[in-house]
Amino acid sequence: MQPIEFAWLIPVFPLVAAIAIGLFGKKLKEGGGYVAVVAAIASLAITAAVVVQVLDGSFDSADGVMDGVFEQSQMWLTLTDSYSFEVGIYIDQLTALMLVVVSLVSTLVIVYSLAYMGGEGERKRRYYTEISLFVGVMLGLVLANNYLELFIFWELVGLCSYLLIGFWYHKPSAASAAKKAFIVTRVGDIMFMIGLIILFTTFKTLNFRDLFEIEASGTDLSLLTIGTIMIFGGAIGKSAQFPLHDWLPDAMEGPTTVSALIHAATMVKAGVYLVARSFPLFVQTPETLLVVAIIGGVTAFMAATMALNNPNIKRVLAYSTISQLGYMMLALGAGGYLFFHTQHAEGYTSSMFHLMNHAFFKALLFLCAGSVIHAVHTEDMRLMGGLNRKMKITSFTMLIGALSISGIPPFSGFWSKDEVLATVWEAGDLSWVFVLLYFLGIATAFMTAFYMFRLWFMTFTGKPSVASDHAHESPRVMTYPLILLAILAAGSFLVLFVGGGFGGQVFFEEPHSLAPAEVLTATFAEPITYLSIIVAICGVGLAYAVYYRKSISSDVFVSTKASRTMYDVLIKRYGFAAAYDAFAEKVVYGFSKLVDLFDIYVIDGIVNGFAFIFARSGNIIRRLQTGQVQLYAAIVIAGISIVFILLYLVGGLR
Amino acid sequence: MIPIEYFLALGAILFIIGAYGVLTKRNAIVVLMSIELMLNAANINFVAFSSFYGDVRGQIFALFSIAVAAAEVAVGLAILLALSKTRDTINLDEISLLRW
């Protein structure tokens, strides 16, 4: 037996833990927190064994097909001979990458939760049940071998997200944020489902392996474009891309650990994962890839602008998450477009590299923010300040995270962001759209550096405020995960220099492994690399000048009328929150009212009309019943006579 | 030998007279008597065909029919007796309880 054959156990441990904690959590220590940690570590251990096998390619594929994919499956539903569904696991390098990210980050976050959620009392049981359930279904989502299975887990992570955002459901804001997250992502899910129906009816299968070979099968591909766009619709909802991005900032109503795990490191990556998983389909439809790239670029830019002036530490990070997810989508779109025209798919690799780095540094940033919130009991950055002396570990690890996300070399965020931008720049040769998107990306990089360091300076430097007076460093259960994540956030770029590099393992169609020296020349020989470094440093510098040296007053952003308007527009999120409400109120509710009127007047009208006609006609006809026996007898005799006369006339009696 | 048509004509005439009585008379006793006429019209047919085909089954049925008619009259008269006791009438026009 080889370790990879036990891969199906990876999601099973957290799921069993969820059931156990749900049933017996009250009697367990810490509301079952330790059980959740043990289950997550067990998954992590199996993941590690599986990943080692995937990396050296030493496994025997279960079905004898040698294409670097390990697949085990079981027939589940047979509709007819040609329509059937499977359950199974599908492991390639992409799956392995996601498994590592999900199980590693979730283990650290659950460990961190032991301290962060320590004061929740009875509610801890619910928290650990839901978070274990989430880890299980997220791992299941990653392992699925067909779209139906993926879709089921996709909905389940949405459910867990709903439950955990609404963890403090007694707060009305949390309850409505949970509903908003669920309903807004549902819009995308419906599109995803339509996409799946299109694929299933066209290609008669939802298995990844069969679908990825349809190009060769000679089936008519004309429906593929609309199918892939619909699937991308699912990704838009789940990964909070424009125009369905507005639920993610509200999702910050949940506990910070939930924001770190679900709304930064894992679940929101499911959309990116979906596009990456469907890449063999997407690369056949350049129109869809263009849509993916444009949505990604616009999202990255818009979300970054909204992060610029938000006073809430978690919301800044939420906008930053949306923005970075936009980068990943942009890279996938541009990379796929390049592949369609030139057969090079470095964009796929760079997107996945950014996904991995982002999972580490964004989980780090959120957990640092959680540590700060734990200490000062507020999320408003204006009430913080001067914390770097009191919370040395948190402030230092958060600085690493901020440097990494800002793209300052040599931290890992720099390498992946640079690769993303390089891909987009390269795609600029094919279409002017990508040149535009490249400059959006550069502007985003500048803003990212600015708002991250605005956050850092506002929180950790300056004069201590009332809230930070009695702040103290968090317990070790919380700081150790921070330190581990900081090491990963700073050093995960080292995978570029090990073996064949990241591109030698996570790739599409062709591995592009580079020797360490080649990586360095490929990065630093390009002039555009220096452009992204310069804008990042400019962003940090501006934040330094405004929020540390205070040599530029932050009032400049609101001093003139135009900038004041701009400021208000950003605080109001470009009116998206209001637009959602207006859309729901006017369009959806109006349509429902219209349907209601149709129901009242047309449907009920028809039913009541029939009832009225029959009641009225019955009222008339009942007068035939006179009660006179002789009249009845006369009618019977007349009837029989008529029958006989007719029979005689037509000849039946002759 | 009298041809069978004569018997059938007699039966038909009796039946029509009976039916006419059932439909037009207001007195329930007369209606019962008219029903007897119709039954006897049927009996005549039974016996006529029995003789015509040389088959004794027709005569057996005629006997059954007479017995059933006797029973029917007994029940019918009992109902009429009860009616005249409770409603003080046996005029069929006034007995129309089962109407709208």
Side-chain angles (χ1 to χ4, degrees), chain A residues 164-215:
Chain A
L164 286 163
I165 294 169
F167 181 70
W168 291 307
Y169 53 78
H170 45 83
K171 272 200 314 191
S173 59
S176 70
K179 263 186 290 184
K180 184 172 180 179
F182 198 69
I183 294 167
V184 172
T185 50
R186 177 49 39 91
V187 175
D189 294 351
I190 296 288
M191 288 171 75
F192 185 16
M193 200 154 74
I194 294 171
L196 293 192
I197 292 167
I198 291 172
L199 287 188
F200 189 60
T201 49
T202 315
F203 305 118
K204 298 188 173 47
T205 178
L206 287 178
N207 292 345
F208 291 146
R209 185 172 270 174
D210 300 335
L211 276 175
F212 297 163
E213 283 158 6
I214 48 168
E215 195 183 11

Side-chain angles (χ1 to χ4, degrees), chain A residues 310-640:
Chain A
N310 206 298
N312 183 310
I313 186 167
K314 281 176 75 183
R315 293 206 178 203
V316 170
L317 292 176
Y319 285 121
S320 151
T321 305
I322 301 175
S323 173
Q324 301 299 315
L325 289 167
Y327 265 134
M328 293 171 217
M329 289 293 185
L330 176 58
L332 282 174
Y337 202 78
L338 270 175
F339 181 83
F340 184 77
H341 290 284
T342 65
Q343 305 297 308
H344 291 295
E346 276 90 350
Y348 178 86
T349 305
S350 58
S351 176
M352 291 304 107
F353 190 39
H354 198 53
L355 184 151
M356 179 182 85
N357 292 340
H358 177 258
F360 296 142
F361 61 64
K362 190 49 67 63
L364 168 67
L365 288 168
F366 263 112
L367 293 184
C368 287
S371 174
V372 170
I373 295 165
H374 197 63
V376 299
H377 302 291
T378 177
E379 296 182 7
D380 194 332
M381 291 191 290
R382 289 168 299 196
L383 303 177
M384 301 172 188
L387 286 171
N388 57 350
R389 249 166 265 121
K390 290 181 171 162
M391 307 178 75
K392 286 208 172 60
I393 299 175
T394 307
S395 103
F396 183 67
T397 49
M398 192 150 193
L399 181 63
I400 291 176
L403 286 168
S404 190
I405 191 176
S406 304
I408 307 287
F411 296 96
S412 55
F414 158 73
W415 300 90
S416 56
K417 190 179 285 188
D418 184 62
E419 277 186 37
V420 167
L421 289 172
T423 305
V424 182
W425 178 253
E426 199 187 332
D429 294 344
L430 298 169
S431 164
W432 57 270
V433 178
F434 289 104
V435 180
L436 214 62
L437 290 174
Y438 174 74
F439 286 109
L440 276 184
I442 285 287
T444 308
F446 171 73
M447 289 187 286
T448 309
F450 174 74
Y451 67 66
M452 281 319 300
F453 276 88
R454 169 178 174 268
L455 185 154
W456 196 81
F457 286 130
M458 277 180 89
T459 310
F460 293 105
T461 65
K463 264 183 267 160
S465 67
V466 190
S468 41
D469 259 354
H470 36 77
H472 53 85
E473 184 58 272
S474 303
R476 268 180 289 185
V477 177
M478 280 162 80
T479 52
Y480 282 1
L482 294 183
I483 294 167
L484 247 170
L485 278 170
I487 293 168
L488 285 168
S492 58
F493 71 90
L494 288 174
V495 296
L496 286 174
F497 301 104
V498 181
F502 191 76
Q505 282 298 339
V506 180
F507 56 84
F508 181 67
E509 296 284 329
E510 288 286 317
H512 23 82
S513 41
L514 294 170
E518 289 175 313
V519 177
L520 289 174
T521 49
T523 311
F524 290 105
E526 288 283 336
I528 56 164
T529 306
Y530 297 102
L531 181 59
S532 52
I533 296 175
I534 288 166
V535 295
I537 290 172
C538 286
V540 176
L542 183 60
Y544 178 79
V546 177
Y547 294 101
Y548 186 72
R549 295 291 301 274
K550 307 246 195 296
S551 52
I552 306 172
S553 164
S554 57
D555 291 338
V556 297
F557 301 122
V558 290
S559 54
T560 67
K561 196 152 180 273
S563 60
R564 179 81 222 179
T565 321
M566 196 61 212
Y567 186 90
D568 288 341
V569 165
L570 293 182
I571 282 287
K572 287 189 181 129
R573 315 174 181 181
Y574 293 99
F576 264 96
Y580 283 8
D581 289 349
F583 181 81
E585 206 164 309
K586 298 273 155 52
V587 180
V588 178
Y589 189 63
F591 179 72
S592 310
K593 265 195 187 152
L594 209 68
V595 173
D596 187 44
L597 289 182
F598 182 81
D599 187 49
I600 290 174
Y601 289 107
V602 180
I603 305 286
D604 286 3
I606 290 171
V607 173
N608 291 339
F610 269 108
F612 181 78
I613 289 167
F614 285 117
R616 261 308 162 86
S617 58
N619 208 7
I620 295 162
I621 293 170
R622 72 182 177 138
R623 298 191 187 272
L624 290 175
Q625 302 283 340
T626 58
Q628 299 273 349
V629 182
Q630 286 171 317
L631 182 62
Y632 301 161
I635 291 168
V636 169
I637 288 169
I640 290 173

Side-chain angles (χ1 to χ4, degrees), chain A residues 60-81:
Chain A
D60 299 324
S61 61
D63 47 8
V65 186
M66 295 304 292
D67 55 356
V69 176
F70 180 84
E71 188 178 14
Q72 282 177 318
S73 63
Q74 183 89 37
M75 196 60 80
W76 178 32
L77 276 177
T78 308
L79 303 182
T80 66
D81 285 343

